[in-house]
Amino acid sequence: MRRLFRRRPKAQFFYRTDYLPGSLAWHPKATELRMDRGLRVAESLLEEGLVRAKELRFPQVASWEDLRAVHTQGYLESVTSGTTLQRIYGLGPDDALPSEEVFHSQRAQVGGTIEAALSVMRKESPIAVNLGGGFHHAFPDQGGALCVLNDVAAAIARLRQEVIANGTRLRFAIVDLDFHEGNGNFRFFANDPEVFLFSYPGHTLGPEAAKLHPDRSRVRVWPTGSQDSEYLAALREELPRALERFRPDLIFYLAGTDGLAGDPLGDLSLSLDGLLERDQFVIEEARRLGAGLVVTLAGGYTDGAREAVLRMARWIFHGFAERAEPGWAVRRRIRRMIERVGSLRPGKRVAESPLDASEDPTGEPGSPGWSAGSLDEFLDGDRARRLFLGHLTRSGVELWLEQFGVLPRIRRQGYDSLRVEVETRDPEHERVRVFGRPLFPRLISRLEGVSGRKNPTERTLLELVVRRASVEQWVFLQVEWLLLQNPDASFSSHKPPLPGQRHPGLGVAVEVQHALVALCERLGLDGVGSFPSHFHSASVASEWAFFLDSRAQHQLRILQDRFRDLPLAEASQRMEREELGDFVGSLQVLPVSQAMKDYFLSSAYRSG
């Protein structure tokens, strides 16, 4: 067995530290559930020397495009708030649940399943294991039973998008051996002729199985207390027959371990040896058929669940399931590696680890900078202050920027791997930043002469600082600072720099304006205000905004008329030199509420 297995390519494992929603793992209602299975397996794989850096992959968080491909826009908007997630996790309205951390955790795991599937289809390895995922209870428009997002559906949608250009048709099989019925997958793929559903649940969650096509599914419900012998005998008989008939290109294996005897959410009586035989059989069947295999962990909430996954991983790498004590040379190499990597526990910064959740800690729940102390502060403090303008989580801000075209437009400017950062601790200066990397980082790094830097190509592309403000009867969103820049573009004679500009703009000002107006409408504010620091800023904004002081508005119109024959950049430079106009420092407001619109159109304003 060992000699045979060494000839096979090794599998790839996918994991990142923010798979673990630490606050949920410590929640009083989850004390009997071991939520840290993926983390503990990753630690053990490193400690035993089973995984090297190139075999442990750090996936990207699933993009909003990937999520929108399978979930409705309304549902995605709802899960950025805590109420929907509390329902999905079976918690009451009084149960504290940091929604941002939980949603980010599932989104990261969806990214792991997507990248695992892509790696298999690109022939990087025949097997890819995501140390998370398996969210088979998530529907297109709702979640349930701890599942917010459906990772397998998102991965299949992404794979289809990847191969659509060459006309290839892929066939998929979902082998779901979790204790619970994958009703979300049943809903997604009941009418899909290119997906076969194989499920062995011990518990059903609804009528979805009755809608499955009999030629594209096999569902068998197991009674309470079912043991290894009967379960494995049926699996050996039915799975090969089903897969042989369907001939999938790729198999998604939901290797749930909640069928293990004693699991608090299952009532089967499978043993660790039985689960290992099950996993071996599925893996060997995929190999026999020549199909790629993506493994996700799905359910499993005991210490035995971690051991079951670890035994499967050992067997994949070595052909035997028990831990082998390494020799002195191997132990020394592992000790040096662990000293270099550092602790993998949440709340500690992992300086050089491929498991690291971010190259720049954000201090948000789920990031490496998030600690137990900051978690207590989050739970006990004023939760509204942790939301952007008391309304949006970090994921909500990202969705907001996606929805109004800001992030898509930035991508079209040549940036990817966009990262959104939100700071809300100071209510007078709530901040949103967007970072991105150029699509050609090696070339740019070479041109810059960059070497030895950990992250040389990430750029600050957008920075927005806002606060709620009021003047007289008006309450508005005041923009304290707005930076929109393309650091990799150059000025030209046709597009010279404006006063105060270090880099050309991003071309997203209109999209940002629409996003701010929509946010004001949602918050019930009268408008979007700012204090323009340059003539060009006030002049461009005057197409839709008015100075609250009508005298400043009148003076701006006089200056615009005076410089109407000059390019805007030259006119603004003249203004800087001659120091004309005292409208700088006056409040300019884009009206949103009907009352403020009526005010700017009134005779009282025009004659003021």
Side-chain angles (χ1 to χ4, degrees):
M1 174 67 76
R2 296 184 189 181
R3 185 168 58 254
L4 175 65
F5 195 83
R6 287 195 186 104
R7 296 194 187 109
R8 306 177 202 165
K10 290 185 178 181
Q12 291 183 327
F13 282 71
F14 291 77
Y15 183 75
R16 45 188 291 156
T17 52
D18 48 359
Y19 276 20
L20 173 65
S23 59
L24 182 63
W26 302 323
H27 196 281
K29 291 190 177 182
T31 53
E32 296 182 1
L33 308 180
R34 295 307 302 256
M35 307 294 291
D36 59 348
R37 178 180 39 163
L39 172 69
R40 296 172 70 198
V41 169
E43 287 180 323
S44 296
L45 292 175
L46 283 172
E47 290 169 0
E48 296 181 26
L50 291 174
V51 173
R52 294 173 295 177
K54 67 179 181 181
E55 295 159 342
L56 188 59
R57 300 282 296 275
F58 173 70
Q60 294 291 324
V61 173
S63 70
W64 285 107
E65 289 91 338
D66 289 325
L67 301 185
R68 284 203 299 263
V70 293
H71 293 290
T72 65
Q73 179 72 23
Y75 174 62
L76 291 176
E77 290 179 3
S78 74
V79 295
T80 61
S81 67
T83 305
T84 301
L85 292 177
Q86 285 171 329
R87 178 187 59 78
I88 292 172
Y89 279 85
L91 300 175
D94 296 330
D95 292 313
L97 181 68
S99 57
E100 173 61 34
E101 179 191 9
V102 172
F103 179 63
H104 179 80
S105 164
Q106 293 228 345
R107 190 176 163 195
Q109 293 178 63
V110 172
T113 300
I114 291 173
E115 292 198 22
L118 289 172
S119 74
V120 172
M121 294 308 297
R122 292 167 180 168
K123 309 299 183 182
E124 296 175 9
S125 64
I127 302 173
V129 182
N130 183 20
L131 295 176
F135 303 133
H136 56 171
H137 301 310
F139 288 57
D141 56 353
Q142 68 182 57
L146 309 182
C147 299
V148 182
L149 305 167
N150 194 304
D151 58 315
V152 171
I156 289 177
R158 178 67 174 276
L159 288 173
R160 285 172 166 167
Q161 181 184 14
E162 292 272 324
V163 303
I164 196 171
N166 58 23
T168 303
R169 307 292 292 184
L170 298 177
R171 294 168 69 84
F172 305 96
I174 301 174
V175 177
D176 189 343
L177 301 186
D178 190 86
F179 172 79
H180 299 91
E181 179 183 85
N183 55 341
N185 286 338
F186 292 172
R187 173 74 67 84
F188 270 104
F189 302 113
N191 299 312
D192 194 324
E194 296 172 347
V195 178
F196 186 88
L197 295 159
F198 187 96
S199 182
Y200 263 21
H203 177 66
T204 60
L205 294 174
E208 303 299 328
K211 304 174 185 178
L212 300 179
H213 194 287
D215 294 335
R216 297 195 299 270
S217 64
R218 176 68 177 99
V219 181
R220 178 170 180 167
V221 181
W222 288 91
T224 298
S226 296
Q227 298 183 353
D228 296 343
S229 57
E230 51 190 327
Y231 185 95
L232 293 172
L235 185 67
R236 292 191 185 100
E237 178 183 354
E238 295 179 349
L239 182 62
R241 189 164 53 203
L243 295 180
E244 184 71 38
R245 185 171 61 249
F246 192 75
R247 303 298 298 187
D249 300 293
L250 180 66
I251 298 172
F252 288 90
Y253 174 34
L254 277 64
T257 53
D258 45 1
L260 194 63
D263 192 282
L265 299 184
D267 59 15
L268 300 184
S269 296
L270 305 181
S271 68
L272 281 173
D273 288 339
L275 289 183
L276 178 62
E277 285 190 48
R278 179 201 71 174
D279 297 338
Q280 290 171 331
F281 183 73
V282 174
I283 292 170
E284 290 295 349
E285 277 301 298
R287 189 172 69 89
R288 182 182 67 83
L289 292 169
L293 182 67
V294 174
V295 182
T296 63
L297 299 194
Y301 308 98
T302 64
D303 287 326
R306 178 200 67 86
E307 183 60 25
V309 176
L310 190 55
R311 283 159 62 92
M312 176 181 65
R314 292 186 186 121
W315 181 80
I316 288 174
F317 277 104
H318 290 309
F320 55 91
E322 301 305 321
R323 175 170 181 167
E325 184 68 20
W328 67 269
V330 178
R331 286 198 298 269
R332 184 172 65 179
R333 176 173 55 83
I334 293 173
R335 188 182 308 115
R336 288 177 177 174
M337 178 190 66
I338 293 174
E339 290 172 354
R340 182 172 69 253
V341 170
S343 172
L344 300 180
R345 292 291 182 188
K348 302 237 181 167
R349 178 67 184 158
V350 186
E352 302 292 338
S353 173
L355 299 182
D356 208 351
S358 170
E359 293 189 359
D360 183 14
T362 64
E364 296 173 335
S367 74
W370 187 253
S371 64
S374 55
L375 173 65
D376 293 337
E377 180 182 351
F378 181 85
L379 292 177
D380 296 337
D382 178 7
R383 296 187 65 203
R385 290 280 293 279
R386 304 297 183 263
L387 302 177
F388 182 65
L389 296 171
H391 184 70
L392 294 174
T393 63
R394 192 205 61 80
S395 292
V397 170
E398 187 174 353
L399 178 58
W400 169 60
L401 295 175
E402 284 279 357
Q403 184 178 356
F404 286 93
V406 177
L407 299 186
R409 184 69 179 269
I410 292 176
R411 293 188 187 98
R412 290 197 292 272
Q413 298 295 316
Y415 291 93
D416 65 358
S417 301
L418 300 184
R419 180 169 62 86
V420 178
E421 183 180 276
V422 179
E423 296 177 8
T424 60
R425 295 189 179 277
D426 182 359
E428 296 298 312
H429 297 85
E430 300 197 39
R431 191 182 308 268
V432 174
R433 293 189 183 95
V434 176
F435 304 91
R437 300 183 183 185
L439 291 173
F440 308 102
R442 293 183 179 178
L443 175 61
I444 291 174
S445 297
R446 185 178 301 173
L447 293 175
E448 291 178 343
V450 176
S451 62
R453 288 169 56 186
K454 185 174 182 179
N455 186 14
T457 60
E458 190 172 64
R459 308 289 201 250
T460 300
L461 306 175
L462 180 152
E463 185 174 20
L464 170 69
V465 181
V466 297
R467 69 181 180 94
R468 291 174 186 259
S470 61
V471 175
E472 299 174 354
Q473 75 270 35
W474 310 115
V475 181
F476 53 91
L477 182 66
Q478 181 167 315
V479 178
E480 299 285 343
W481 170 258
L482 177 60
L483 173 69
L484 304 171
Q485 64 177 8
N486 185 340
D488 298 294
S490 301
F491 294 110
S492 66
S493 58
H494 300 290
K495 194 174 183 180
L498 295 165
Q501 267 194 317
R502 294 180 57 192
H503 303 287
L506 274 174
V508 297
V510 173
E511 287 82 0
V512 170
Q513 172 196 321
H514 291 165
L516 292 174
V517 168
L519 186 57
C520 284
E521 291 174 343
R522 197 166 181 177
L523 297 175
L525 302 179
D526 291 307
V528 182
S530 64
F531 291 89
S533 55
H534 302 284
F535 171 73
H536 64 269
S537 305
S539 186
V540 170
S542 67
E543 294 183 24
W544 54 80
F546 303 84
F547 282 101
L548 200 58
D549 185 342
S550 60
R551 292 171 297 180
Q553 182 74 15
H554 180 66
Q555 185 182 34
L556 175 64
R557 293 288 168 80
I558 293 174
L559 293 171
Q560 287 177 317
D561 185 63
R562 174 180 174 180
F563 295 125
R564 66 178 181 272
D565 296 328
L566 292 179
L568 183 61
E570 185 177 343
S572 194
Q573 294 287 1
R574 287 271 304 272
M575 285 288 297
E576 296 291 314
R577 292 193 298 269
E578 299 178 20
E579 297 183 358
L580 298 174
D582 57 5
F583 59 83
V584 174
S586 296
L587 178 63
Q588 193 176 28
V589 182
L590 188 162
V592 174
S593 70
Q594 191 60 50
M596 179 164 266
K597 292 177 183 177
D598 292 341
Y599 170 71
F600 284 128
L601 295 175
S602 68
S603 58
Y605 175 76
R606 291 197 301 269
S607 62

